[in-house]
Structure formats: C-alpha cells, structure tokens
Amino acid sequence: MNTAAAEASLRPIVEARAIGKRFGSFVALKDVSATFYEGQVTAIVGPSGSGKSTFLRTLNRLEAHDSGEIVIDGIVLNDNVKNLDAIRREVGMVFQSFNLFSHLSILRNVALAPMRVRKMSRADAEAKAYKLLERVGLANQADKYPVQLSGGQQQRVAIARALAMDPKVLLFDEPTSALDPEMVNEVLAVMRELCWP
C-alpha cells in the first residue's frame, strides 16, 4: 500500500499546523507542520539544535508554542487546563534522562501514575506494572530501586512507566543518548518490540 493510501485509511492522532516557538530572539521552530496517524511510527531526524526536542516538547505542552495550532486526538492543545489535562493523560513521553523517583521501587515507579491519574486501585496498578516490567524484561527487578539498576534498565523502566498510562501517543526524545554504548541495544530492542510486536 502506498503512503498516501495508507494515510487515507488511518485516523490523524496528532496534527501540528504552522508551529512557531522562540526563546528570546532565537527561533527554535518556524512554521512546522506535520500530521501523525494512529498506528504510525515516525522518526524525526536532524542535526543537533534543529528543534527536534523542542517540537516534541510542544506536543505535550512542556513547552508552549508561540504560534500555530496543535490538535491531539481532536483536542486543541492550549492554555485551557481541562484540555491540557486530557491531552497529558493520552500522551506519554520517554526522556533522555530517566526521571525515575529514587525513593520508590521500580514497581511503584510504574504503578504510581495509573493510581494517581487513572484512579486505579493499588493492587490493579501494581499487577499492570508487573506485566509491563515483564514486557521490558525487568520483572525480576520489580522490588529494586533505580540506583540499583543500570542506565539501560532504568530507561526500560521509564518506557514501562510511560506505557502504564495506555497512551494514545508515545514520544521518545533521544532515549538512548545518555546511555553507555553497550546499553543502547537493550533499549532499542524494547522500542522495536513496541513498534512491531
């Protein structure tokens, strides 16, 4: 199936129209437009400083865009708190750094958001978290704390944590850039499995 036919058969999940973003006098994004479809896997490539991370951060309002329009699953991304909360429930993000809670076990790190945001019971959230840790190959590490894991393992926990919210959109911001070379493949393997199970 050609790209145009494939896109025509899929539902747009993220639409960015003429997005602009400045940091003072520096133009980070200028008239960036893109449409991403449900089930689509897309890589954004470009040199360092070209705005890749800034663009991703605008898609969940970690950075507010200055101009243009972003629509996620039919909801306009703006300063409306109700819209923002709805979108953040549906957009997961895995960062360059792991951002795990050091005082919580791996299992609790993954279970926390479904409990707090989705109001899932602790038992259900932890059962789901355990299954996700199995999926990323870390069920045997569930009771450990982040400091006890390698960088690659911590990033796999971060992926499980993002998946725990059942996001409609999952963003990865250079998730292997902070890892030692020998740990990169274990994270890429998980990402490949997510894209092509």
Side-chain angles (χ1 to χ4, degrees):
M1 181 182 287
N2 66 41
T3 304
E7 289 178 356
S9 68
L10 298 173
R11 184 173 71 91
I13 193 79
V14 176
E15 298 171 89
R17 304 178 186 123
I19 301 305
K21 175 65 183 175
R22 287 178 168 271
F23 295 100
S25 62
F26 177 72
V27 178
L29 301 173
K30 182 178 180 181
D31 294 328
V32 176
S33 295
T35 301
F36 304 103
Y37 297 87
E38 198 169 45
Q40 180 182 23
V41 176
T42 303
I44 300 172
V45 297
S48 180
S50 62
K52 302 182 302 291
S53 293
T54 301
F55 180 60
L56 288 179
R57 291 171 67 85
T58 64
L59 296 180
N60 61 6
R61 202 65 168 186
L62 292 175
E63 294 287 351
H65 55 288
D66 299 323
S67 60
E69 182 179 59
I70 297 172
V71 180
I72 310 281
D73 196 25
I75 302 170
V76 176
L77 180 58
N78 53 31
D79 290 329
N80 181 309
V81 174
K82 186 177 179 182
N83 285 7
L84 187 56
D85 284 348
I87 286 170
R88 287 201 174 144
R89 283 183 167 92
E90 307 304 338
V91 178
M93 188 158 183
V94 179
F95 300 90
Q96 295 176 29
S97 54
F98 324 120
N99 297 321
L100 300 177
F101 294 110
S102 61
H103 66 291
L104 296 178
S105 70
I106 298 309
L107 186 70
R108 290 301 306 277
N109 261 281
V110 178
L112 184 64
M115 290 168 55
R116 293 282 174 91
V117 178
R118 301 279 192 205
K119 305 303 180 193
M120 194 177 284
S121 72
R122 180 172 177 169
D124 287 346
E126 289 188 351
K128 180 175 189 174
Y130 190 81
K131 285 181 183 175
L132 288 168
L133 288 173
E134 280 184 325
R135 186 172 180 184
V136 298
L138 291 172
N140 61 339
Q141 309 291 329
D143 295 328
K144 291 187 176 178
Y145 287 82
V147 71
Q148 296 173 287
L149 302 184
S150 70
Q153 289 173 321
Q154 289 186 60
Q155 193 62 295
R156 286 189 280 154
V157 172
I159 292 170
R161 179 182 58 188
L163 292 172
M165 288 292 289
D166 296 318
K168 293 179 180 176
V169 177
L170 188 54
L171 308 173
F172 289 89
D173 184 10
E174 299 187 47
T176 62
S177 65
L179 300 178
D180 293 331
E182 62 272 14
M183 297 176 185
V184 168
N185 284 338
E186 66 187 66
V187 174
L188 291 178
V190 170
M191 293 173 66
R192 277 192 294 269
E193 190 273 332
L194 293 176
C195 296
W196 301 282

